[in-house]
Amino acid sequence: MRTSSVVIPLLSLSLASGSLASQQPQPQQQPSNRGPGGARGTQIQPGESCPPGTTEIRPRNCLGPEAPAPSILDYRPKSTLVAPVHMVKTAKYAAIDYHGHPQGLLGSAEGIANLGAYMDSLNVRMMVAADNMSGDRLKNAVAVINASPKMKDRVRVLAGVDFRNVGPGWAEKAVAQLEADVAAGAVGVGEVGKGFGLSAKKADGTRLKLDDPELKPIWDACARLRLPVFIHTADPQEFFEPVDYTNERWLEISLFPGRRYPPDKFPKFEEVMAERDNLFRKHPKTTFVAAHMGWHANDLARLGKMFDESPNLYGELGAVLYDIGRQPRAAHDFFIKYQDRIIFGKDSYQPDEYPYYWRVFETNDEYFDYYRDYHAFWKLYGIGLPDAVLKKVYYGNALRITPNLPRAGFPAN
Ligand SMILES: [Zn+2]
């Protein structure tokens, strides 16, 4: 049974914070903290929030716990839900990871053999390495891939474009380097990093905008060479917002303060996104793949509108599983509607994490853990995609938009 003794310090806390004190005088002693019907706690006015350390136990009646409240790091409740569990260790169909960062594994025969063993265990048939390789580094990686009888059809690389110092003479050089990288084996461009739009500067010192007209020759070259452009723009919107207790990514930003984009140092999220959308629209013959679903997996209507406006646009799924899996009905319908536009990719190369993706896409399991608490403090749900859609998302769409990917190992349909 609770005693009311703990309520008094909480009341004084709320008085000290000032927000409530100005609107509602607080009596000093209990049973003064009894509200209508005799409920214990602090009364608030309609529209007000409960004071810190309390929660709304009845309408407009806030109470703090008797025991000291754990921090969000230490509160780890075990779910009592008993529901069907379908762990999916390997993808149902051969998958292409379009957002591969195989780290140093393309540097040696042992490395690529190691990569192959992990890919086999997950049924990832192919990895597209999105490490912005160019010149000798790209040639070395391609040589390692070609030297492996087992892996020569299972890894492909994207070429990097150097967006620094865009100005007179830049485009000719960049296009020539891209052509050389394609001759060396590159099948696309990317990953164009988030620095493009947020921090990259032109030769004249101004910020390089995504839709800068000086970049037109490189996008035209990508269309001519049939190279999809894999592009990561900005970061989750919360990284641009004030870091307070209403920010969904408070924990992540507090763990990694460098992920913040304060407005005095960076352009606003919407400013960068508007430039990006303009880039997609201005180059309809160039195929773009927006990494991380363009950071709009939390707003599927917005993403759908983008797909409708730009038929040359595709979305890649890396690192946004927490948004797909928290809206299983809407996400299911979205995947059905845009089944020709969504491409699997994982981003961070952690073999243990792929099965979470398979489980969300392939099952109807409910209320299960995500792999990274600091991304999402909520649970995931399966979206139960039909086989025909899984095939497109896992490999069909990637093969269709990337003409130079090997077809071996994928079903013909
Ligand atoms: Zn990436």
Side-chain angles (χ1 to χ4, degrees):
M1 177 175 169
R2 288 165 192 261
T3 69
S4 55
S5 60
V6 292
V7 176
I8 292 168
L10 286 168
L11 279 173
S12 47
L13 180 72
S14 71
L15 283 167
S17 76
S19 59
L20 204 67
S22 58
Q23 296 162 39
Q24 187 183 2
Q26 291 296 318
Q28 293 303 307
Q29 295 177 340
Q30 52 114 206
S32 54
N33 58 349
R34 286 184 185 276
R40 298 178 302 132
T42 302
Q43 303 305 304
I44 57 172
Q45 300 299 318
E48 283 182 350
S49 301
C50 283
T54 68
T55 190
E56 193 166 6
I57 56 161
R58 296 288 185 278
R60 295 171 299 287
N61 183 20
C62 307
L63 188 67
E66 181 180 272
S71 78
I72 59 171
L73 297 172
D74 298 322
Y75 187 55
R76 303 166 194 174
K78 285 187 183 151
S79 170
T80 59
L81 180 73
V82 180
V85 172
H86 303 91
M87 303 307 278
V88 188
K89 196 166 173 302
T90 58
K92 186 168 183 182
Y93 300 103
I96 296 175
D97 179 355
Y98 211 80
H99 193 159
H101 293 300
Q103 315 293 351
L105 296 178
L106 299 185
S108 68
E110 302 79 55
I112 199 167
N114 190 325
L115 178 65
Y118 273 120
M119 287 166 60
D120 286 346
S121 74
L122 300 162
N123 199 19
V124 173
R125 166 73 198 172
M126 186 182 301
M127 177 174 282
V128 176
D131 281 335
N132 273 315
M133 285 187 256
S134 187
D136 287 344
R137 194 169 153 234
L138 185 145
K139 285 183 190 159
N140 290 341
V142 172
V144 169
I145 295 162
N146 287 341
S148 166
K150 177 179 162 175
M151 297 300 287
K152 67 179 172 45
D153 287 337
R154 297 185 57 188
V155 182
R156 284 297 178 269
V157 293
L158 302 182
V161 171
D162 186 349
F163 287 100
R164 288 172 300 181
N165 297 313
V166 171
W170 176 87
E172 294 76 7
K173 248 177 78 185
V175 170
Q177 182 63 54
L178 180 61
E179 286 171 343
D181 288 341
V182 170
V187 301
V189 165
E191 159 182 27
V192 178
K194 57 193 167 189
F196 177 48
L198 285 178
S199 54
K201 297 275 192 292
K202 298 184 70 168
D204 65 9
T206 59
R207 181 174 69 85
L208 176 61
K209 296 182 178 168
L210 282 92
D211 54 353
D212 191 303
E214 287 201 70
L215 301 175
K216 183 175 186 302
I218 199 83
W219 309 131
D220 288 347
C222 292
R224 170 169 54 85
L225 299 165
R226 301 180 70 201
L227 304 173
V229 178
F230 182 51
I231 180 168
H232 174 152
T233 307
D235 257 339
Q237 185 156 15
E238 299 93 316
F239 294 5
F240 294 76
E241 305 292 337
V243 187
D244 60 26
Y245 288 179
T246 67
N247 189 315
E248 234 179 11
R249 302 294 275 267
W250 179 91
L251 180 56
E252 175 166 6
I253 299 167
S254 301
L255 288 167
F256 305 101
R259 296 186 183 178
R260 272 201 72 207
Y261 300 107
D264 54 328
K265 296 202 180 77
F266 293 94
K268 286 194 165 57
F269 178 82
E270 291 298 350
E271 185 180 353
V272 178
M273 292 316 192
E275 293 170 10
R276 174 202 62 185
D277 295 351
N278 200 28
L279 164 69
F280 299 157
R281 278 192 300 258
K282 270 172 57 181
H283 300 279
K285 294 195 172 125
T286 307
T287 298
F288 292 94
V289 181
H292 313 294
M293 301 292 261
W295 297 119
H296 300 317
N298 61 342
D299 185 351
L300 293 176
R302 177 176 184 168
L303 189 57
K305 205 164 155 254
M306 279 172 66
F307 282 151
D308 293 342
E309 279 176 8
S310 295
N312 54 329
L313 175 63
Y314 297 79
E316 178 272 339
L317 289 161
V320 289
L321 192 68
Y322 52 80
D323 274 334
I324 306 295
R326 67 167 157 170
Q327 47 176 337
R329 289 170 291 273
H332 173 273
D333 294 351
F334 186 86
F335 274 67
I336 299 295
K337 182 167 182 190
Y338 295 103
Q339 57 185 271
D340 295 317
R341 313 291 288 279
I342 303 171
I343 291 176
F344 172 71
K346 170 62 180 69
D347 195 359
S348 169
Y349 179 64
Q350 303 287 344
D352 291 349
E353 295 173 350
Y354 287 73
Y356 290 83
Y357 286 73
W358 314 149
R359 190 179 184 193
V360 168
F361 300 146
E362 297 178 23
T363 81
N364 285 312
D365 282 2
E366 302 201 90
Y367 196 77
F368 53 89
D369 286 329
Y370 180 57
Y371 55 82
R372 229 174 260 184
D373 283 350
Y374 71 79
H375 274 175
F377 48 84
W378 52 84
K379 302 283 182 178
L380 303 186
Y381 301 80
I383 67 173
L385 294 176
D387 290 350
V389 176
L390 281 175
K391 289 179 185 177
K392 289 180 177 181
V393 170
Y394 280 171
Y395 64 85
N397 295 335
L399 290 177
R400 195 178 74 250
I401 67 163
T402 319
N404 289 326
L405 287 183
R407 265 54 185 167
F410 297 101
N413 61 343

